[in-house]
């Protein structure tokens, strides 16, 4: 999480915004070097994380403030809460295999640090990230496996359009609607009910994958009450915090064909790009060698 949050800070783009007293101080700016942006961000946040002002300015100060920010955000995201009902979802064990993408920068970072593996401790079940992950994992088929089921529902609705309201295709998204999504069975019995349930689970999962998280931090004194809000500690400060989830409007049912076509375009473009890169590598190697060389690629 430290690595991911620092990487997000380096490439914030439109995925991260930081406000101070309602004013945007980081994110959605012109392309600049991370060092320049981090220096400005540290200047804004230093009074919150180091109120005694005993830390000098410069690169060391910047790194210290960023480190404290990342630690506080991580602790907030991992903080537990008994509110909500996400614990009703019971999913099976995660896939066995590498817990880190071997091609990622994080994997290379682990090797530089001499670490070969990570603990599979998982997320605390009460925290927001765990709950969001459970909802995201409702999508067990991905768009390639889902699209035939979507077509099954569409063909049924073409024959029986009056059933659209009964099946709650367009809502209402009430308690009864979400109760149906708790059935995580994957065996297709060929029914419209199974197909529709998977379509609706996909819509909810895609909504969770595209949601936004807002964290509010407010400095509080050691002996001051925090208005019943939870408190997170940094090295020299304490903050009352609250966490909210935004952008939870359910993804439109009609967007599934678009997602299917878009996914196909992405895969085709990637395949062509990889093929062209491999062809260029082979061509370059053949030109550099006087003898003909057979190049084998692991598939």
């Amino acid at each position: 999480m430290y690595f991911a949050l620092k990487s997000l800070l380096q490439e914030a783009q439109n995925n991260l915004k930081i406000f101070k007293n309602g004013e945007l101080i980081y994110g959605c700016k012109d392309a600049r070097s991370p060092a320049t942006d981090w220096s400005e961000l540290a200047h804004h946040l230093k009074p919150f994380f180091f109120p005694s002002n005993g830390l000098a300015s410069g690169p060391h100060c910047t790194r210290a403030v960023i480190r404290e920010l990342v630690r506080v955000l991580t602790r907030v995201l991992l903080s537990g809460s008994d509110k909500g009902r996400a614990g009703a979802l019971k999913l099976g064990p995660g896939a066995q295999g590498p817990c880190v993408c071997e091609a990622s920068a994080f994997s290379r970072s682990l090797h530089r640090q001499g670490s070969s593996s990570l603990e599979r401790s998982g997320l605390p079940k009460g925290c927001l990230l765990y709950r969001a992950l459970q909802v995201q994992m409702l999508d067990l088929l991905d768009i390639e496996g889902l699209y035939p089921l979507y077509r099954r529902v569409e063909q049924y609705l073409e024959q029986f359009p009056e059933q659209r309201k009964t099946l709650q295709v367009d809502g209402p998204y009430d308690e009864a609607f979400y109760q149906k999504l708790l059935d995580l069975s994957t065996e297709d019995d060929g029914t419209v009910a199974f197909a529709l349930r998977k379509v609706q689970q996909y819509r909810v999962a895609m909504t969770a994958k595209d949601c936004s998280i807002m964290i509010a931090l407010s400095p509080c004194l050691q002996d001051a009450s925090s208005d019943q809000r939870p408190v997170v500690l940094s090295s020299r400060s304490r903050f009352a915090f609250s966490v909210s989830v935004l952008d939870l409007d359910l993804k439109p049912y009609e967007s599934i064909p678009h997602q299917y076509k878009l996914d196909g375009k992405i895969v085709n473009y990637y395949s062509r790009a990889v093929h062209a890169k491999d062809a260029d590598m082979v061509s370059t190697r053949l030109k550099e060698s006087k003898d003909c060389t057979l190049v084998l690629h692991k598939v």
Side-chain angles (χ1 to χ4, degrees):
M1 287 180 68
Y2 290 162
F3 183 87
L5 286 170
K6 283 187 176 180
S7 299
L8 181 59
L9 281 165
Q10 288 177 328
E11 298 290 343
Q13 299 183 32
N14 194 36
N15 298 311
L16 173 68
K17 298 179 183 178
I18 299 179
F19 294 83
K20 175 185 174 183
N21 298 327
E23 177 186 357
L24 179 66
I25 61 172
Y26 194 81
C28 296
K29 296 182 179 180
D30 297 334
R32 301 166 64 186
S33 67
T36 303
D37 285 340
W38 281 19
S39 179
E40 288 189 9
L41 179 62
H43 175 74
H44 282 288
L45 299 183
K46 179 183 173 183
F48 294 97
F49 291 103
F50 298 96
S52 62
N53 200 27
L55 190 67
S57 60
H60 175 72
C61 172
T62 299
R63 288 194 296 269
V65 172
I66 296 299
R67 183 167 57 248
E68 288 296 305
L69 172 64
V70 170
R71 285 177 176 172
V72 166
L73 292 179
T74 301
R75 290 170 180 170
V76 168
L77 290 171
L78 292 177
S79 63
S81 172
D82 295 330
K83 299 178 181 179
R85 53 179 182 176
L89 290 175
K90 302 295 183 182
L91 298 182
Q96 298 299 316
C99 55
V100 176
C101 174
E102 295 178 358
S104 71
F106 183 47
S107 179
R108 295 192 294 272
S109 176
L110 285 178
H111 287 301
R112 285 197 300 268
Q113 298 171 12
S115 303
S116 58
S117 62
L118 293 175
E119 291 186 16
R120 295 176 177 272
S121 57
L123 293 165
K125 289 189 176 182
C127 77
L128 173 64
L129 293 185
Y130 176 85
R131 298 181 178 196
L133 179 61
Q134 303 310 297
V135 181
Q136 292 170 357
M137 290 174 65
L138 286 173
D139 174 24
L140 301 176
L141 301 175
D142 206 3
I143 190 65
E144 297 91 347
L146 181 83
Y147 190 71
L149 299 178
Y150 167 81
R151 290 300 308 155
R152 184 191 301 175
V153 176
E154 279 293 279
Q155 291 170 3
Y156 178 81
L157 293 177
E158 288 173 2
Q159 297 180 18
F160 308 99
E162 70 279 0
Q163 290 294 310
R164 190 178 185 96
K165 183 176 181 180
T166 304
L167 295 175
Q168 289 184 281
V169 174
D170 305 308
Y173 305 122
D174 52 15
E175 186 72 22
F177 173 85
Y178 286 104
Q179 281 296 323
K180 297 175 183 177
L181 304 186
L182 298 180
D183 185 349
L184 302 178
S185 59
T186 57
E187 185 174 350
D188 187 357
D189 56 7
T191 63
V192 173
F194 174 85
L196 180 61
R197 184 168 66 250
K198 292 304 170 186
V199 168
Q200 304 293 44
Q201 287 174 342
Y202 172 83
R203 294 175 62 197
V204 173
M206 292 302 293
T207 302
K209 291 177 183 180
D210 198 30
C211 70
S212 300
I213 298 175
M214 182 169 66
I215 299 174
L217 298 170
S218 178
C220 57
L221 300 176
Q222 295 293 334
D223 56 349
S225 63
S226 58
D227 300 326
Q228 305 303 318
R229 287 185 296 170
V231 172
V232 61
L233 303 179
S234 66
S235 297
R236 303 186 187 180
S237 304
R238 64 199 304 261
F239 300 90
F241 71 88
S242 61
V243 184
S244 303
V245 183
L246 312 175
D247 302 326
L248 290 178
D249 292 333
L250 200 60
K251 295 297 181 182
Y253 172 83
E254 293 76 13
S255 68
I256 293 178
H258 169 73
Q259 292 295 331
Y260 179 72
K261 292 178 182 178
L262 179 62
D263 188 78
K265 289 181 180 179
I266 293 172
V267 172
N268 290 336
Y269 179 82
Y270 174 78
S271 299
R272 290 198 303 269
V274 171
H275 179 74
K277 182 179 180 181
D278 289 344
D280 289 342
M281 290 177 61
V282 172
S283 176
T284 302
R285 291 178 182 178
L286 290 177
K287 289 179 181 179
E288 292 175 350
S289 176
K290 295 180 180 179
D291 299 326
C292 182
T293 305
L294 177 63
V295 181
L296 302 177
H297 291 274
K298 185 178 179 181
V299 179

